DNA sequence: GAGTGCTCTGAGGTTCCTCTGAGATTCGCG
DNA sequence: CGCGAATCTCAGAGGAACCTCAGAGCACTC
C-alpha cells in the first residue's frame, strides 16, 4: 500500500514487462507505485487505498479495463483515471471516457506523453481540491498560504503549512504533542519544536487559530 | 520566419504532400506561410513568431495536435487556431474546441471551404496582439516586451518572455523548478537556468514580479 | 571574422527554515 | 495564596535553499 497520497499511483497492467517498465518510470519520477496484475486485484486496491492517479490497461484478465473503471466510479471514487489501450478507434475512446476515465493513451505511446498526461491529471485535480476551511479564511495547501478576509494573504513555511493542514483537516480533534511530532516532524526527537511551530502559527494568524488543551495538547481554534 | 504579421500563417502538418499543397494554396492567396512538420517545432514557431492564424493537424508526431493547441494557449497566445482532423465525432470536436481552438475542419475537406473558414477567422479576429496582465503593466507576448506604467517599455529575451508568459498565464499557481525546466527550458539538464532567469526577470521588472516559495518553487507576484 | 546578444553554468555569498534551549509566564491544585 | 508543572516566548546555531553575477559557449549579424 502506498503511503504518500499526493504522489501515490495505482497501475493496473497484466503485461509483466510493461508493468515493470512503468513502475520503474514513475518511481523514478517520485511517485509511489502500487501495481495490480488483474482487474479483481486492481478493484480491491482502488477501493481500499487512496491514490492521486490510476492508470488502467483495457485488456485485462478477470475484469475488463473499462468495466473496472465503471465499477470504481460506481463506488464513488473520484480519483482521475487514465486508460491505456491498444485500439485507438473513436468508439473505443468514447467508451472509455463514458465509463468515467479522464484521459486515454493509445499503445504504443511515448513515455514523455504518458508522463505529461499524468502530470496534467494531477494538476487539474489538485488545483481544485487543495483548500481547507479555516472559518473566515482558508488554507491553500499547494500554494502554502492562508487567503481570505480583508487582509493580505499570509505565507507559511513548509512546516507551518503541514501543521496547520493537520489541524484544519480535523477541526474537532485534540492532538497530543507526541502525535503531532510523529505526524508532522519526522525526527522523533524534537520535543520543543511542536510548541515553537504552534507559536509561529499563532503569531502569524492570531492567538485563536490553535487552542491549548492544558495537560493534553492542542486543537483547532474554530469549532 | 514570416515577416508580414498580418498575413502570416503557421501550418503544422506532418503529411508532406498535404503540407506542400496547402503551402502552395495559401501562398497563392497572398499569405506568408511557415510550415512545421511536427508538434515540437510547431510549438516553437507558435511561441516565437507572430501569426494571423494557425492551422494545426491533429495527428502529429512529438506532440499531438490538441496538446499543441493546449500548450500554445497556456502560454497566453491568442492567435486564432483551426484544427484539421480525420475524425469527425462530437467527442473529438469538443475536445479540440475545449483546448482552445477556434474552428475545426474534418478531412477530407473542400479547398474552398478551408479558405473560407480561414478568412472568417481573420475577419473575426483582427486584434491578434496577445497581452497578459501583469498588474500595473502588461506583457506583450508577441513583441516580447513589458509595457505600461510610467516607465519606458522593457525588452525581454526569448527565454525571459517564455518564462514570464507561463507565470502570467497562471497567476496563482506555484511552479516547481522541475516543471519550469520542462515547460520552458526544453533541455532536460539545465538545473540552474531557472534560477538565473527568475533573477533576470526580477532585475528587469522588480523583485516582486515573481515570488519564491521556499522549498517548492516560484509563483507570480500579484494575486 | 569581429562584434553583439542570448543562454546556461558554476561558485560564492546571502537569506530563510528548522529546531534547540533557556528564561518568563500561566495553569491546576492543595 | 503558593508551589510545581506545563506552556509560552524568543534569540540563535546549523544547514539547506536560494540569489547574484561573472564568464564560457553559441548563434546570428554586418
Amino acid at each position: 500500500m502506498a503511503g504518500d497520497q499526493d504522489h501515490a499511483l495505482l497501475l493496473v497492467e497484466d503485461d509483466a514487462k510493461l508493468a515493470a517498465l512503468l513502475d520503474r518510470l514513475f518511481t523514478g519520477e517520485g511517485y509511489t507505485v502500487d501495481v495490480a496484475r488483474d482487474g479483481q486485484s486492481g478493484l480491491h486496491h482502488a477501493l481500499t487505498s487512496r491514490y492521486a492517479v490510476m492508470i488502467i490497461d483495457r485488456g485485462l484478465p478477470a475484469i475488463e479495463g473499462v468495466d473496472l473503471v465503471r465499477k470504481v466510479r460506481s463506488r464513488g471514487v473520484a480519483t482521475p483515471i487514465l486508460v491505456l489501450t491498444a485500439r485507438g478507434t473513436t468508439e473505443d475512446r468514447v467508451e472509455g471516457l463514458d465509463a468515467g476515465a479522464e484521459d486515454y493513451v493509445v499503445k504504443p505511446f511515448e513515455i514523455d506523453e504518458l508522463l505529461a498526461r499524468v502530470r496534467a491529471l494531477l494538476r487539474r485535480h489538485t488545483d481544485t481540491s487543495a483548500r481547507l476551511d479555516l472559518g473566515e479564511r482558508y488554507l491553500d495547501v499547494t500554494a502554502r498560504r492562508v487567503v481570505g478576509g480583508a487582509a493580505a494573504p499570509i505565507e507559511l513555511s513548509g512546516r507551518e503549512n503541514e501543521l496547520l493542514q493537520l489541524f484544519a483537516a480535523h477541526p474537532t480533534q485534540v492532538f497530543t504533542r507526541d502525535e503531532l511530532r510523529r505526524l508532522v516532524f519526522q525526527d522523533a526527537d524534537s520535543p520543543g519544536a511542536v510548541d515553537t511551530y504552534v507559536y509561529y502559527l499563532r503569531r502569524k494568524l492570531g492567538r485563536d487559530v490553535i487552542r491549548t488543551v492544558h495537560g493534553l495538547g492542542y486543537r483547532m481554534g474554530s469549532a
Side-chain angles (χ1 to χ4, degrees), chain A residues 33-112:
Chain A
V33 181
D34 281 356
V35 181
R37 282 293 160 73
D38 61 281
Q40 196 61 57
S41 131
L43 181 61
H44 177 255
H45 277 79
L47 295 178
T48 52
S49 292
R50 273 190 63 180
Y51 298 97
V53 171
M54 304 184 193
I55 300 178
I56 296 177
D57 196 328
R58 277 208 64 156
L60 289 172
I63 305 180
E64 212 262 327
V66 172
D67 284 335
L68 177 55
V69 175
R70 221 170 264 130
K71 283 200 164 84
V72 168
R73 286 283 180 260
S74 75
R75 298 293 190 85
V77 176
T79 307
I81 295 176
L82 187 150
V83 170
L84 294 179
T85 177
R87 297 161 286 176
T89 63
T90 310
E91 295 88 288
D92 206 44
R93 154 189 210 120
V94 169
E95 201 192 4
L97 298 180
D98 280 347
E102 327 293 319
D103 203 352
Y104 94 122
V105 171
V106 178
K107 292 190 281 190
F109 48 82
E110 293 288 323
I111 296 292
D112 283 342

Side-chain angles (χ1 to χ4, degrees), chain A residues 1-181:
Chain A
M1 297 294 145
D4 178 6
Q5 294 166 358
D6 288 343
H7 296 279
L9 184 153
L10 175 63
L11 176 63
V12 191
E13 169 62 70
D14 62 312
D15 177 0
K17 230 170 98 190
L18 183 54
L21 170 69
L22 292 178
D23 188 354
R24 246 182 293 121
L25 177 69
F26 283 105
T27 303
E29 289 283 313
Y31 297 91
T32 312
V33 181
D34 281 356
V35 181
R37 282 293 160 73
D38 61 281
Q40 196 61 57
S41 131
L43 181 61
H44 177 255
H45 277 79
L47 295 178
T48 52
S49 292
R50 273 190 63 180
Y51 298 97
V53 171
M54 304 184 193
I55 300 178
I56 296 177
D57 196 328
R58 277 208 64 156
L60 289 172
I63 305 180
E64 212 262 327
V66 172
D67 284 335
L68 177 55
V69 175
R70 221 170 264 130
K71 283 200 164 84
V72 168
R73 286 283 180 260
S74 75
R75 298 293 190 85
V77 176
T79 307
I81 295 176
L82 187 150
V83 170
L84 294 179
T85 177
R87 297 161 286 176
T89 63
T90 310
E91 295 88 288
D92 206 44
R93 154 189 210 120
V94 169
E95 201 192 4
L97 298 180
D98 280 347
E102 327 293 319
D103 203 352
Y104 94 122
V105 171
V106 178
K107 292 190 281 190
F109 48 82
E110 293 288 323
I111 296 292
D112 283 342
E113 191 203 335
L114 184 60
L115 283 173
R117 282 174 181 276
V118 168
R119 277 196 300 271
L121 284 180
L122 277 171
R123 163 94 23 88
R124 251 185 283 157
H125 194 69
T126 50
D127 257 8
T128 50
S129 66
R131 290 182 172 189
L132 282 171
D133 192 34
L134 238 62
E136 309 263 303
R137 299 169 285 188
Y138 67 88
L139 169 65
D140 184 335
V141 175
T142 46
R144 290 208 318 211
R145 58 184 190 162
V146 174
V147 193
I154 297 164
E155 314 281 337
L156 300 181
S157 78
R159 276 276 186 283
E160 291 163 358
N161 184 48
E162 288 178 61
L163 187 59
L164 185 56
Q165 198 180 332
L166 187 62
F167 279 116
H170 308 278
T172 58
Q173 186 171 340
V174 176
F175 291 95
T176 67
R177 275 158 235 272
D178 249 40
E179 287 171 324
L180 294 173
R181 219 182 50 212

